[in-house]
Amino acid sequence: MVENRFYLTVLTHAVLITGVFFLCFPVWMALVASTHPASALSSTPIPLWFGDQGWENYSQLLSGGLPEAGGVPVGQMMLNSGLMALGITFGKIAVSVLAAYAIVYFRFPFRMVFFWLIFLTLMLPVEVRILPTYDVITKLGMLNSYQGLIIPLIASATATFLFRQFFMTIPDELVEAARIDRAGPLRFFWDILLPLSRTNIAALFIILFIYGWNQYLWPLIITSDESLYTVVMGIQRMVNSGEQLPVWHYIMGTAVLAMVPPVIVVVAMQKLFVKGLVESEK
Amino acid sequence: MQKRVVFRNTWLPYILVAPQILVTLVFFFWPSWQALESSFYIEDAFGFSREWVGLRNYTELFADPGYLKSFRTTLIFGLCVTFLAMSISLALAVAANRVLRAATVYRTFLIWPYAVAPALAGVIWYFLMNPSLGIVSYWLRALGYDWNHYVNGEQALGMVIVAAAWKQISYNFLFFLAGLQSIPKSLVEAAAIDRAGPGRRFWTIVFPLLSPTTFFLLVVNLVYAFFDTFSLIHATTEGGPADATSILVFRVYNTGFIGQDYGSSAAQSVVLMALVVAMTFVQFRYIDRRVNY
């Protein structure tokens, strides 16, 4: 801080507190609403403090789900989300670390062609080409399966570029030393490169886990089998459940459950998360 | 681009890139090619036959007032989300950069919404603004403002804008904060010695030096608003009322999966792909020039 002015300090904290309030209030209301019985949410204004139905609501949701929306237990949906998120995360990291290794440490025909093929995928979000991708999945018979949920999303230009950038900063002497010691390329990769990339992999893990967990459109079109629903996508069935009025205390409970795992990951591994986010986008 | 010292092996590199290239070809290039191809055909609803129609899907698209309106909606939506999310997060980042005490606490409370899926952000705001029981709409009514996003299209658009911006603030905040921290203190101190006040210092030194970050975020936010908010809209307003919140990505989905009009949906995909490619190009071409000091 350059100078100490009282009004500026007050203003600073006022801005921050307003910001924190704006960001936290919606989720606070979701938490509060999820602990009330349906009757408490039918009269305005709705309560701003917790009710006593929290335990009942959450256990109903986790084990029984919402009868109005097909009754898929939220616990089951969260398990699916977790499997999908972990599959995408590990898949992406494995696939892109290998590709980056090949592109940086080998000289081979068509290297640049491969590089540009990967680069172009940066530009094509799933949302944009949703229908033809769905056709491809149908042709491959991957509808309603974990492979269908995971494999199409594991190609990632971002992760490949992050690893490429990181490998470029690793001193050449390491390769020379490895070669003098007669270590082959796979040995070098496994014993030197991977251990050096540990922090990067961990940081990327957080970003990719959140990306995978929060997928929406993909599970929406790939799964028609209720036992494969993911939670972020499943909540939509509760909100737009046709004729009936939405059951808000259950919906908010589901929303809270759906955001708990990624939020925990971000808050618990804050330093790594910030590093991963800011560096992967550079 | 590449190491000076490399390994020599004729087949290993191909095996290493194979998984990524395979997935890319099958799930990126094949579908994109199909989109391009089927945008020149009209297919019957059962997919039994199709007819080559040249550019008719495109000309019909741009003659369709609904599609043009959707372009306008997308533009308004994108610009509002970007402006709102960026200005709020810049203010927060400048404030967070100033505090010495409790900085980590503030930061923790400001970054966690990054982890919230856009769909969930949408659903929660949908609940807060629900005309009959939402607390925000209750407050608005107390202020004499009648809120009902089920019938009022502008209010529905306003609601999805707020929800989309709310989710994006954390992301922008982190990048602005990183940008602010990389500005040399000596410049700001020199200006202070020359008796430039805090406001003056911000607008003449800090803000211009921040322009690479600002520009980067501008593109990222627009891309986010144009494409990643599909789930937010699908989980809440479903494009309504009366197409008031039907942005382009939502329309692609709606035309294809609900309307079963594959040709038109494919043409819309191609238009969107062109848009993304253009935006990525702008980002890479101008990010190092123009906005560097």
Side-chain angles (χ1 to χ4, degrees), chain A residues 127 130-131 217 220-221, chain B residues 70 230 233-234 237-240 242-243 245-262 264-266 268-269:
Chain A
E127 282 79 2
I130 193 67
L131 199 68
L217 179 57
L220 179 74
I221 61 161
Chain B
S70 172
F230 167 85
I233 291 187
H234 183 263
T237 62
E238 298 193 273
D243 275 352
T245 54
S246 166
I247 60 170
L248 291 170
V249 262
F250 185 79
R251 237 184 136 80
V252 171
Y253 166 86
N254 221 27
T255 317
F257 280 96
I258 313 296
Q260 307 265 314
D261 186 348
Y262 295 133
S264 174
S265 177
Q268 292 183 29
S269 284

Side-chain angles (χ1 to χ4, degrees), chain A residues 2-23:
Chain A
V2 180
E3 77 247 271
N4 215 343
R5 292 194 200 182
F6 180 67
Y7 84 92
L8 267 184
T9 313
V10 172
L11 184 70
T12 303
H13 286 277
V15 167
L16 286 171
I17 289 167
T18 317
V20 168
F21 175 79
F22 177 63
L23 290 182

Side-chain angles (χ1 to χ4, degrees), chain A residues 3 12-13 22-23 41 44 104-106 109 121 123 128-129 131-132 139 160 167 170 172 179 216 270, chain B residues 2-3 6-7 14 20 24 27 31 34 95 98 106-108 115 132-133 166 201 230-231 234 262 269 276:
Chain A
E3 77 247 271
T12 303
H13 286 277
F22 177 63
L23 290 182
L41 300 181
T44 51
V104 173
Y105 280 98
F106 290 89
T121 58
M123 305 181 184
V128 167
R129 53 194 164 80
L131 199 68
K139 278 177 195 150
T160 313
F167 291 165
I170 291 177
D172 286 349
R179 279 175 57 174
Y216 180 88
Q270 212 183 114
Chain B
Q2 206 192 9
K3 292 283 184 185
V6 293
F7 288 108
Y14 294 101
Q20 172 123 27
T24 305
F27 298 108
Q34 284 211 326
R98 278 183 53 87
Y106 278 128
R107 201 180 69 169
T108 310
S132 57
L133 55 84
W166 178 86
R201 286 200 304 267
F230 167 85
S231 57
H234 183 263
Y262 295 133
S269 284
V276 191

Side-chain angles (χ1 to χ4, degrees), chain A residues 164-183:
Chain A
R164 190 188 73 92
Q165 238 167 342
F166 172 67
F167 291 165
M168 294 305 287
T169 66
I170 291 177
D172 286 349
E173 285 74 13
L174 282 178
V175 190
E176 282 165 354
R179 279 175 57 174
I180 291 168
D181 290 343
R182 318 199 67 195

